[in-house]
Amino acid sequence: LLAATGVALARYARQDEIVFGSPVANRELPELERLIGLFVNVLVLRIPVDANVSFRTVLRSVRDTCVGAFGHQEMPFERLVQELRPERDLSRTPLFQALFAFLDTSGEPPRMGDVTWEPYPWIPPVSRTDLAFWLETAGGAISGTLEYSTDLFDHDTITRFLEHFQNLLHGVTENPDRLVSELPLLSDDERRRVLVEWNATEHNLGTEPVHRTIRDRAARVPDTVAIVHQGREVTYRELEDRSNRLAAYLLHIGVPPGARVGIMLERSPRMIETMLAVWKTGASYVPLDPEFPSERVAFMAADAELSALVTESALLERVPESSGTVVSLDTAAEEIATCSEAATPITPGVDDVAYIIYTSGSTGQPKGVEVLHRGVANFLGTMVQTPGIEPDAVLVAVTTLSFDIAVLELLLPLTVGARVVIASKDDAADGRRLQALMEQSGVTIMQATPATWRLLLSAGWEGRGGMTVLAGGEALAPDLATELLQRADTVWNMYGPTETTVWSTCHRVSEADDRVLIGRPIANTTVYVVDEMMQPVPIGVPGELLIGGAGVAKGYWKRPQLTAERFVPNPFAPADGPVYRTGDLVRFRPHGALEYHRRLDNQVKIRGFRIELGEIETALKQYEGVEDAVAAVRSFGRGDDRLVAYVVPAEGRQEPTGTELRAFLRESLPAYMIPGAFVTLDALPLTPNGKVDRRALPDPTGLTATAAAPVPPRTETERLIADIWQQALGIADVGVNDNFFDLGGHSLLSMQVIGTIEERTGVRLGARDIVLQTLGQVAAMCEKPAEPGDQPGAPEHGLAARLARFVRGGRKASA
């Protein structure tokens, strides 16, 4: 029974060892038999559980453990704790959190004259351990009680566990030589539910490539406005004609079907025109963000083996050499205009690659994900229905093209004849400007990361009636979900990795939710929750999420070994094609929705961006002054997670400053992967098996952000700004020459800082005023006198005008 209990808990907890406490009478000496007193002691039993061995093998190991422990039952538990000195926590018992007790009551009850004995059931008012198994044998049967902490478990969870425990016991008695991983936990009914019923998502959406769907829509509503950007409108007819001309031009310069075409453009209608044009040549597009470091862009262009790269003259200096034929849209505009407006005769197949998006790689280099036309068509076809979009909808697009969720923002409205409003880079980064754009455009639906939604809330966004909010890219916190529900008609939590085509599950958030869920699979998508041995786990038990179906990507470009590791045969329906191992730990709720828990590896999400911590660590170790390094995510408050780097300086070399390390990392990593704080350690903390103990890394809050001594503030204004920055960033000291973003700041924090500065000085800054300026420069802007001709509200003069009014009136300037 102890072995079976250990196996059941190990399968539940994804552990290879379970530690039990077990009470013993501790009356092994005959002279203690008739002595009144409490001699009970607690033994600590370590039960190893190897999923690849038989239950009989585990049983033998447990027997040896018990025999050895009972041979030393007189060793007081308190003495053991004193000697081992575990980290104490009042919320749990030291050394073990599960108790196992077995009592043989099959004999005759004791007699005391005419006094009769019978058990008296007693339920303690509090649980003494997280779980306590009290088993006994009597009358030829085994019965017992499972005591549990209601702070950790609910009644339904415990009831399901007992059912799974009995299923496992049946499997053990039928064949004790079965592997531990093969012992049944799920009943046939539960197995059918999680594998079949909850994956009944078949829906005929068609597999026509998306650009042909948009072409058909343009034929029906040619004069309807399709795209709006900075006051400029593009109709469906214009969009179709321009993309056709560009497609003809690309074919003319030699772009063959199946090739890869880079797109490096600023946010404008040209992005969408180029995406559609590339598909019309039968090629796939590769987004290259002009904000990325040149070294990273060069690697992606070379790795993708581009046939051509579409850009504009303002970005030509950032185009890497290995980009194939470079097409500057404005420079080649006249030549492109002479090309045919007729649609090209080329139609990509459903299994052809639509785009390759590069994501962070654990080996130090980004990796390209090959997404198929089948996946894009299925994804957008599903989104039309759930969450849903109507032809009269207006969607404000805020996401960079190098982030795959831009596929929804830029293309979903166009498949139904709706309108997409493209926010500029500055609009997307400034909460107040974004809010103004939303009001001006009449937005009805918008997708953004939780970080961007917090940015809007910090800017004072009060919501909009009839609006649909989509949140995805990182975990949606309950408090943020609550605030969004108060400002929109519907709020959806979206989930999905790049490798399964943007979103794979979605959940309409409700005020009745006890936790924000990631929901159920979209159409033609299957989800499985499995243990390490690829066996389905019971309802309510965390396991790794596998995703199958129409959205599964082809794999990683030129990375066959990694593709084979992550895209594996479907263990439950081999004929359905591969499933993607997400590395996400999730669990099924009783009604079939998925609940996200955490990552199983060192991949993290920061403000929607997927980051492999190993890529940051590899880059840091290339710095000559760094011996070792590790990156981690630390919370600095509600919704404020930041990257922190812990570095061990190279022996005999000067300790590198945070400023030096940031400058070095900027050469190869994008801005969102630069740590916000650097902590110097003599050595990295290690676990007993020699791995980095990430939980033992010190809290960076309150530490100085750089090793170099900052230049102290010199004026009252500088001291005021420094105080505001210190409170927002959670660091001990900032200097006149420090930059807010170099110290770990980000767009959401910058809006908080701007608001605090306005509250305390009456001066209202813009987001870009913080991005590129040092503390001293920001302070100087707050002290700048009014210029003749400044007009209130004018973008380039608003700050000076408000400051002039503030100085004249001696009071807080109006917003």
Side-chain angles (χ1 to χ4, degrees):
L1 285 170
L2 176 60
T5 307
V7 167
L9 288 182
R11 293 275 296 273
Y12 255 59
R14 299 177 63 87
Q15 294 180 194
D16 56 11
E17 180 181 74
I18 298 293
V19 181
F20 287 98
S22 187
V24 290
N26 199 22
R27 290 175 179 263
E28 70 278 10
L29 299 178
E31 51 268 33
L32 299 178
E33 286 295 328
R34 300 179 61 83
L35 192 63
I36 295 177
L38 181 64
F39 291 85
V40 173
N41 189 26
V42 178
L43 300 180
V44 182
L45 308 174
R46 298 180 64 161
I47 308 301
V49 181
D50 186 343
N52 295 305
V53 302
S54 68
F55 179 80
R56 192 186 299 275
T57 301
V58 173
L59 182 59
R60 292 192 184 113
S61 174
V62 172
R63 180 186 60 191
D64 293 342
T65 297
C66 290
V67 170
F70 277 88
H72 299 278
Q73 60 180 292
E74 72 281 358
M75 168 62 73
F77 174 73
E78 293 77 9
R79 176 68 183 276
L80 192 61
V81 173
Q82 181 181 353
E83 291 293 329
L84 294 178
R85 298 179 182 177
E87 183 179 344
R88 303 303 295 268
D89 187 334
L90 294 178
S91 67
R92 60 177 183 263
T93 310
L95 302 185
F96 67 87
Q97 284 80 54
L99 185 138
F100 181 91
F102 182 81
L103 182 64
D104 185 355
T105 59
S106 57
E108 290 291 326
R111 292 181 177 273
M112 293 179 64
D114 293 334
V115 177
T116 58
W117 299 68
E118 64 180 54
Y120 178 79
W122 177 70
I123 300 176
V126 296
S127 60
R128 288 156 290 192
T129 57
D130 294 351
L131 290 171
F133 299 84
W134 302 93
L135 302 178
E136 61 180 331
T137 176
I142 297 172
S143 61
T145 301
L146 177 51
E147 177 186 302
Y148 62 93
S149 168
T150 54
D151 287 341
L152 300 176
F153 309 101
D154 58 32
H155 180 267
D156 291 341
T157 298
I158 296 300
T159 300
R160 285 195 301 269
F161 173 81
L162 291 175
E163 293 173 354
H164 300 145
F165 182 53
Q166 293 181 74
N167 293 337
L168 185 142
L169 288 176
H170 280 296
V172 166
T173 54
E174 288 175 357
N175 182 5
D177 290 309
R178 292 178 70 175
L179 296 181
V180 166
S181 61
E182 297 175 351
L183 290 172
L185 289 178
L186 286 71
S187 66
D188 291 341
D189 178 68
E190 185 177 6
R191 186 179 179 90
R192 181 174 58 255
R193 205 180 323 161
V194 299
L195 296 182
V196 180
E197 293 178 10
W198 290 347
N199 279 321
T201 61
E202 297 84 0
H203 196 79
N204 184 16
L205 295 173
T207 55
E208 186 174 56
V210 171
H211 66 276
R212 295 179 70 89
T213 302
I214 296 174
R215 178 202 64 183
D216 295 342
R217 183 62 60 180
R220 290 195 287 270
V221 291
D223 298 320
T224 299
V225 174
I227 308 170
V228 178
H229 174 66
Q230 294 184 336
R232 176 191 168 200
E233 296 181 346
V234 177
T235 66
Y236 276 86
R237 177 187 284 114
E238 292 171 330
L239 172 63
E240 187 66 14
D241 291 347
R242 290 172 186 172
S243 62
N244 284 342
R245 289 194 194 100
L246 180 55
Y249 182 79
L250 293 175
L251 289 172
H252 171 69
I253 64 174
V255 174
R260 288 151 302 284
V261 177
I263 299 180
M264 181 188 285
L265 295 167
E266 296 289 2
R267 299 178 57 77
S268 73
R270 286 175 171 175
M271 277 194 315
I272 301 177
E273 295 166 8
T274 304
M275 292 167 64
L276 299 179
V278 170
W279 285 344
K280 291 176 180 181
T281 68
S284 56
Y285 73 82
V286 181
L288 301 174
D289 196 318
E291 296 293 316
F292 282 1
S294 56
E295 181 180 320
R296 192 178 188 85
V297 173
F299 170 83
M300 293 161 61
D303 185 70
E305 299 175 2
L306 299 180
S307 174
L309 186 146
V310 179
T311 186
E312 47 204 350
S313 57
L315 299 174
L316 283 174
E317 61 180 15
R318 298 193 55 78
V319 173
E321 294 181 2
S322 55
S323 298
T325 304
V326 177
V327 178
S328 173
L329 292 179
D330 43 356
T331 304
E334 293 185 4
E335 191 173 354
I336 295 173
T338 63
C339 294
S340 172
E341 295 178 357
T344 65
I346 300 172
T347 300
V350 294
D351 292 322
D352 288 339
V353 177
Y355 59 82
I356 298 178
I357 281 192
Y358 279 80
T359 66
S360 180
S362 59
T363 60
Q365 295 286 4
K367 55 185 182 294
V369 181
E370 298 181 275
V371 177
L372 304 176
H373 278 282
R374 179 199 309 274
V376 179
N378 184 78
F379 164 65
L380 293 179
T382 302
M383 294 296 105
V384 168
Q385 300 177 7
T386 306
I389 186 170
E390 299 295 332
D392 60 351
V394 177
L395 188 150
V396 174
V398 299
T399 308
T400 172
L401 187 60
S402 59
F403 192 176
D404 69 332
I405 70 175
V407 171
L408 180 147
E409 297 179 15
L410 299 177
L411 301 181
L412 177 62
L414 304 182
T415 64
V416 297
R419 178 180 303 188
V420 55
V421 178
I422 301 178
S424 69
K425 180 172 59 179
D426 291 341
D427 288 338
D430 189 318
R432 288 179 303 209
R433 293 182 57 158
L434 181 57
Q435 179 180 351
L437 177 64
M438 293 167 65
E439 293 301 319
Q440 176 187 350
S441 64
V443 62
T444 62
I445 180 172
M446 193 171 100
Q447 169 190 261
T449 64
T452 299
W453 288 116
R454 287 194 186 275
L455 183 70
L456 271 169
L457 294 177
S458 296
W461 182 61
E462 296 180 353
R464 184 177 177 85
M467 184 174 174
T468 297
V469 164
L470 309 182
E474 59 184 333
L476 176 61
D479 68 292
L480 177 57
T482 300
E483 293 196 59
L484 292 175
L485 282 169
Q486 296 170 354
R487 291 167 170 81
D489 272 17
T490 58
V491 176
W492 291 80
N493 190 30
M494 320 297 286
Y495 164 86
T498 302
E499 289 83 349
T500 57
T501 314
V502 194
W503 306 134
S504 301
T505 69
C506 60
H507 173 72
R508 181 171 177 175
V509 181
S510 166
E511 293 181 356
D513 292 339
D514 56 343
R515 295 189 64 173
V516 179
L517 308 178
I518 60 174
R520 292 176 175 267
I522 67 171
N524 304 308
T525 300
T526 54
V527 295
Y528 307 100
V529 185
V530 300
D531 60 19
E532 297 93 327
M533 307 305 294
M534 302 293 279
Q535 295 293 320
V537 299
I539 297 170
V541 176
E544 182 180 5
L545 176 62
L546 310 181
I547 300 177
V552 176
K554 182 178 181 180
Y556 297 109
W557 168 250
K558 296 197 302 185
R559 301 283 291 276
Q561 183 175 352
L562 183 60
T563 298
E565 291 174 4
R566 307 303 298 183
F567 296 84
V568 300
N570 189 324
F572 312 109
D576 291 348
V579 293
Y580 173 68
R581 300 188 62 173
T582 65
D584 287 332
L585 193 69
V586 304
R587 67 169 179 163
F588 274 121
R589 298 294 290 268
H591 48 72
L594 290 167
E595 177 185 312
Y596 177 86
H597 277 243
R598 60 178 174 83
R599 287 292 302 177
L600 290 168
D601 55 19
N602 291 329
Q603 186 185 108
V604 299
K605 285 283 188 77
I606 295 290
R607 289 179 288 284
F609 293 102
R610 191 167 98 178
I611 300 170
E612 293 279 2
L613 295 177
E615 185 172 359
I616 302 174
E617 293 163 1
T618 299
L620 280 169
K621 292 173 186 177
Q622 294 174 358
Y623 189 75
E624 61 181 11
V626 173
E627 176 68 27
D628 205 355
V630 64
V633 175
R634 290 290 182 264
S635 176
F636 286 75
R638 190 181 71 169
D640 184 15
D641 291 341
R642 304 182 212 166
L643 288 168
V644 176
Y646 298 85
V647 297
V648 177
E651 187 175 355
R653 291 188 177 274
Q654 185 176 357
E655 179 180 320
T657 68
T659 302
E660 294 168 344
L661 292 173
R662 285 190 189 91
F664 176 76
L665 292 178
R666 283 198 192 97
E667 297 177 4
S668 59
L669 300 180
Y672 64 83
M673 292 181 67
I674 306 298
F678 294 84
V679 179
T680 302
L681 301 175
D682 294 332
L684 298 178
L686 303 177
T687 62
N689 60 5
K691 296 182 178 180
V692 175
D693 188 354
R694 294 179 179 271
R695 290 183 297 181
L697 293 169
D699 185 352
T701 304
L703 297 174
T704 301
T706 64
V711 177
R714 300 155 299 191
T715 67
E716 285 298 324
T717 304
E718 289 179 351
R719 281 189 284 273
L720 172 65
I721 304 298
D723 179 63
I724 294 172
W725 285 19
Q726 288 172 14
Q727 293 183 32
L729 295 168
I731 58 178
D733 202 6
V734 296
V736 171
N737 298 321
D738 286 331
N739 175 275
F740 182 76
F741 282 77
D742 282 349
L743 297 179
H746 49 78
S747 54
L748 176 58
L749 272 185
S750 70
M751 294 306 297
Q752 296 175 5
V753 165
I754 288 170
T756 306
I757 291 175
E758 180 182 7
E759 180 181 338
R760 297 176 66 175
T761 69
V763 177
R764 187 172 214 176
L765 302 174
R768 293 188 65 82
D769 296 329
I770 299 290
V771 172
L772 303 176
Q773 308 295 327
T774 65
L775 184 147
Q777 291 170 323
V778 171
M781 294 176 68
C782 292
E783 296 172 343
K784 180 181 177 182
E787 297 281 343
D790 282 352
Q791 297 297 320
E796 68 274 25
H797 300 301
L799 171 63
R802 290 186 179 92
L803 181 58
R805 293 196 300 273
F806 169 70
V807 171
R808 288 195 301 268
R811 56 184 176 83
K812 182 177 177 180
S814 67

